[in-house]
Amino acid sequence: MTGMRRVTRGAVEIRMQRVPHFLGGGRISIQDRPIPDPAAGQLLLRIRANALCGTDRAQLRDGSTVTPGHEAAGEVVEVGSGTSTAIGTQGVVFLMDFCGACRSCRDGATNQCLAKRGDMGFTHDGGLGQLELVHESNFFATGPDIDPAEATLLLDVMGTTSHALGRARAARDSIRSLLVGGAGPIGLGTVAMAHILWKGVHVVVADLIPYRLALAQRLGAQTIDLGAQGLDSGLRAIGFDRDGADIAIDTSGRGHSRRSLLDALGRRGVLVCVGHGEELTLSVSDDLIIPERTVMGSEYFRYDALPANLALLRGNLDYLGQLITHRFGIGDLQAAYDLFFAGQTGKVVVEQ
Ligand SMILES: [Zn+2]
Ligand SMILES: [Zn+2]
């Protein structure tokens, strides 16, 4: 392996890697950390790309004892016993280290595992290091034809959003209008996956940031600039579904966004909350019972969604590739975060 250092402690030689250490207060230092050996059932990956995500903000603010990064793509460089993945296989890391045996996993709901071993990049070292140790069960092989940065689109951008669309469709199958709150990476991914999966559905996205609204327009959505007008008047100006939205998806996590999306729903409308964050207060009679609306949450996605999304990525690479607006080397991680959190980006990918 290139780039690996070795230090000797007593008689033991330890392999070392350089990783970003999140100190808190937005500061990042570079540290040498030991490279783990893959145990039974595990793979060691050489990370090639990791996409930045809004949820990294808390780790930047509070610091992290583990190496962050939960949207990683890389190449298998070492394998533990009992695995069948070949060295050199390229793929992505599913965030949740699911058990594969509990009630949820047996139902295929691996994003709801009842005995999860951890969350990569949150409880275990993630994809901003040079190497990442994963269980073979939460590695997904993509094949060598997919660029690692574009492979990361399979995770939050395609996976989390198609799962939310699927949850909405399970509650309502007749859909002509979709309203998306927030045009960050998840909002833009929702626009893109609706464009691919829900052809003919009128998609409108609302946000405050002109850069992201312009990107949403390039992806085929109509937009409402919440810096210039309220959601309600924006929807009227566009001539949005006069019966109210069939589906609304909140990616912002803001309480006022959730509330205004709920108010924009029509009868039998469905609100899916994807963005973590603030509260939503409901009037059970007026919001739910009388109009028979559904309010639901959607958390990440199921591992078994990856093959279909890989086929969609291959078939829509130029279209979906527009979502990655910036690529940085790992040495420019701080600058990458600064630009990303200023909002003047789509998805930002760090490569190494
Ligand atoms: Zn993410
Ligand atoms: Zn499980």
Side-chain angles (χ1 to χ4, degrees):
M1 259 179 281
T2 54
M4 190 189 293
R5 299 139 169 261
R6 291 168 192 278
V7 297
T8 306
R9 296 215 178 106
V12 183
E13 186 184 62
I14 302 172
R15 308 179 301 167
M16 304 294 280
Q17 60 171 322
R18 310 221 79 186
V19 302
H21 179 213
F22 285 35
L23 299 166
R27 290 174 304 126
I28 300 170
S29 72
I30 302 299
Q31 277 192 344
D32 283 329
R33 294 247 179 109
I35 295 172
D37 296 316
Q42 291 183 318
L43 309 172
L44 186 65
L45 308 181
R46 177 76 176 90
I47 296 301
R48 296 294 174 201
N50 187 90
L52 305 190
C53 182
T55 52
D56 302 348
R57 193 191 289 271
Q59 289 170 303
L60 272 167
R61 184 190 60 219
D62 302 337
S64 174
T65 54
V66 303
T67 304
H70 63 271
E71 299 190 42
E75 178 184 341
V76 175
V77 289
E78 289 178 15
V79 297
S81 62
T83 58
S84 57
T85 306
I87 286 175
T89 303
Q90 294 181 29
V92 293
V93 179
F94 186 81
L95 184 156
M96 299 174 174
D97 189 3
F98 58 90
C99 78
C102 72
R103 166 91 191 272
S104 289
C105 286
R106 288 201 312 275
D107 286 346
T110 43
N111 60 329
Q112 293 295 331
C113 176
L114 302 168
K116 191 166 60 169
R117 290 176 287 227
D119 287 322
M120 306 310 296
F122 294 98
T123 61
H124 292 70
D125 289 334
L128 288 173
Q130 291 180 304
L131 296 127
E132 181 175 356
L133 185 67
V134 301
H135 279 106
E136 185 178 44
S137 49
N138 63 315
F139 174 76
F140 176 73
T142 55
D145 58 316
I146 305 282
D147 165 56
E150 287 170 341
T152 68
L153 291 170
L154 289 166
L155 302 168
D156 273 340
V157 169
M158 298 180 70
T160 299
T161 63
S162 59
H163 185 67
L165 293 175
R167 298 218 0 104
R169 165 113 33 219
R172 176 174 180 140
D173 61 2
S174 153
I175 299 170
R176 70 182 182 193
S177 57
L178 167 65
L179 176 57
V180 182
I186 296 290
L188 292 168
T190 304
V191 166
M193 292 308 279
H195 181 84
I196 292 168
L197 296 169
W198 288 5
K199 290 197 191 321
V201 170
H202 187 184
V203 180
V204 172
V205 56
D207 200 296
L208 289 160
I209 300 178
Y211 180 99
R212 289 181 163 168
L213 292 171
L215 187 46
Q217 280 177 9
R218 285 205 295 285
L219 292 168
Q222 279 194 294
T223 58
I224 295 172
D225 181 353
L226 294 175
Q229 60 191 327
L231 182 64
D232 210 28
S233 56
L235 290 171
R236 273 200 305 277
I238 279 175
F240 192 66
D241 198 329
R242 62 190 155 74
D243 295 329
D246 292 339
I247 309 292
I249 297 190
D250 178 58
T251 68
S252 75
R254 306 277 182 190
H256 64 81
S257 171
R258 303 200 211 280
R259 184 65 242 182
S260 61
L261 292 173
L262 184 59
D263 290 338
L265 286 178
R267 297 245 166 184
R268 301 182 294 124
V270 180
L271 170 64
V272 187
C273 297
V274 182
H276 287 272
E278 297 172 1
E279 306 301 310
L280 170 65
T281 302
L282 291 169
S283 160
V284 173
S285 289
D286 292 338
D287 291 325
L288 298 181
I289 295 175
I290 295 166
E292 289 193 342
R293 289 179 184 141
T294 304
V295 176
M296 58 167 68
S298 183
E299 172 76 334
Y300 200 53
F301 62 97
R302 295 161 50 131
Y303 180 87
D304 65 6
L306 283 162
N309 281 339
L310 178 60
L312 291 177
L313 180 61
R314 283 208 173 92
N316 299 275
L317 204 50
D318 289 345
Y319 173 75
L320 288 164
Q322 298 179 83
L323 278 147
I324 300 174
T325 56
H326 297 77
R327 298 177 186 228
F328 285 84
I330 187 72
D332 295 320
L333 182 61
Q334 190 96 54
Y337 273 120
D338 289 346
L339 188 71
F340 178 58
F341 286 124
Q344 302 302 307
T345 69
K347 203 69 175 162
V348 175
V349 180
V350 172
E351 296 176 301
Q352 53 179 323

